[in-house]
Amino acid sequence: SVPVEKVMTFKCSGNTRELVNAYASKELIFAVVGPVGSGTSSVAEKLEQLAASALRTQRVVRIKASGVIERALDSDPLIDKSRLERARLLQNAGDDLRKTDESAVGALLMAEIKAHRADFDEADKASDGGDVSVLHADKRPETHRVYIIDSLKHPAEVELLRTVYREAFCLVGVVCEEEVREERLSRGKCNDSSLVDIHQLMKRDEEADEDWGQKVSKTFHQSDFFVDNTPDRMIEGKENPAWVVPDMLGRLLDVLIGEKIVRPLASETGMFHAAGAQLRS
């Protein structure tokens, strides 16, 4: 928020809009959500690259929720485990964290963002020759800072992050056909597992029985923006021309940055009218 007294003082000597813009947040917090096998990590990685380029900043960091959960464990039970078993153990660990507080993983992710923000502050301080004034409460960072979370699993995590970061938060839903996800898991992280085990993993990921379990389906539908990651990213060692994720994420960044006029697609216009009809019903 902008101090009112500063606005009143500035009003006589300059453009009030310039003052308000100077206090605008330079941070963007993205989170990616998608069912297991949909390729959320590929989407988060590409978003990291595009955000750094579009915003002309090196202050971009990708945070893996699985890594945050793993660091919260008292011991390290993941050593010498198959990739499928490791995924199950991480699911169990996430469920344990959410038993007493369904937004517990979201709180850990916020702590991780806070730690990276401190690192960025130190980097900015060093680049300004150690001038402590750069860390003053009224001093905003000159360049954007972008935090990308890969990936959320429960609606309570979205609710917490959206409540705290408000308009600076954007949830990206990753769409992928079920048959493609199954095939990716079979030849990837679960290549040493049976189809029965893979189906159980997918079902638990989508909608666990417990309230504190993974609820990717419900989380996914809270997304602000959707990208289709059904086509494979790579074909014969080269990026697939049919992989439209970069174009879609680039469009999202154009919308958020506001430097270009981005008109809604026909499908987006349809959803706008559908939402309006829902409000009238």
Side-chain angles (χ1 to χ4, degrees):
S1 60
V2 184
V4 175
E5 63 274 11
K6 287 186 177 291
V7 175
M8 298 306 296
T9 303
F10 193 78
K11 188 175 181 181
C12 301
S13 58
N15 190 330
T16 307
R17 180 179 295 176
E18 292 179 2
L19 176 66
V20 173
N21 288 340
Y23 275 81
S25 172
K26 290 289 187 178
E27 292 191 331
L28 288 173
I29 294 88
F30 293 94
V32 179
V33 58
V36 62
S38 62
T40 56
S41 294
S42 295
V43 173
E45 181 183 351
K46 178 54 67 173
L47 180 57
E48 180 182 16
Q49 298 168 2
L50 293 173
S53 175
L55 295 168
R56 297 177 290 277
T57 180
Q58 297 180 342
R59 304 288 192 261
V60 184
V61 63
R62 183 155 43 103
I63 303 169
K64 288 190 70 68
S66 59
V68 171
I69 293 173
E70 188 173 347
R71 286 191 291 276
L73 296 173
D74 293 332
S75 59
D76 188 2
L78 306 180
I79 299 176
D80 299 329
K81 301 292 184 181
S82 69
R83 299 181 71 178
L84 177 62
E85 186 61 25
R86 185 177 185 276
R88 285 174 174 167
L89 290 171
L90 284 171
Q91 284 180 328
N92 294 339
D95 290 355
D96 289 341
L97 288 169
R98 287 186 291 263
K99 275 185 181 179
T100 54
D101 180 0
E102 291 183 354
S103 60
V105 176
L108 291 175
L109 290 167
M110 286 174 53
E112 194 83 359
I113 290 173
K114 182 179 179 180
H116 284 292
R117 183 183 293 122
D119 291 339
F120 289 154
D121 283 343
E122 287 300 319
D124 289 344
K125 178 180 174 182
S127 65
D128 280 338
D131 184 1
V132 295
S133 66
V134 300
L135 301 183
H136 190 272
D138 287 347
K139 180 77 173 181
R140 297 301 188 270
E142 295 299 325
T143 60
H144 277 87
R145 299 172 175 186
V146 183
Y147 311 88
I148 302 170
I149 299 172
D150 173 23
S151 58
L152 300 184
K153 298 291 186 181
H154 197 281
E157 298 161 4
V158 178
E159 182 180 356
L160 177 63
L161 293 168
R162 190 166 276 156
T163 300
V164 173
Y165 299 118
R166 304 183 71 81
E167 289 85 359
F169 176 76
C170 180
L171 182 61
V172 179
V174 181
V175 180
C176 185
E177 295 177 4
E178 184 174 347
E179 295 79 7
V180 175
R181 294 192 287 114
E182 180 184 306
E183 194 270 334
R184 285 177 182 170
L185 291 171
S186 297
R187 60 180 166 87
K189 70 190 307 182
C190 302
N191 58 1
D192 56 350
S193 305
S194 67
L195 280 178
V196 173
D197 290 335
I198 292 174
H199 290 159
Q200 289 176 346
L201 177 70
M202 294 171 66
K203 182 179 179 181
R204 180 180 178 184
D205 176 75
E206 181 178 354
E207 184 69 38
D209 294 332
E210 302 83 5
D211 291 339
W212 57 83
Q214 293 189 180
K215 306 280 185 183
V216 169
S217 179
K218 291 181 179 179
T219 310
F220 173 84
H221 287 99
Q222 295 189 25
S223 298
D224 303 295
F225 194 82
F226 297 91
V227 296
D228 183 7
N229 196 39
T230 299
D232 286 334
R233 177 177 183 175
M234 307 295 293
I235 293 182
E236 297 180 352
K238 298 181 180 179
E239 193 163 287
N240 182 6
W243 193 55
V244 296
V245 168
D247 292 337
M248 298 172 77
L249 292 177
R251 186 169 180 275
L252 170 62
L253 289 168
D254 287 340
V255 170
L256 295 177
I257 296 171
E259 293 181 354
K260 299 180 182 179
I261 296 176
V262 183
R263 293 181 171 84
L265 302 174
S267 58
E268 293 168 337
T269 301
M271 289 304 299
F272 172 80
H273 289 300
Q278 181 187 33
L279 291 174
R280 291 195 302 271
S281 67

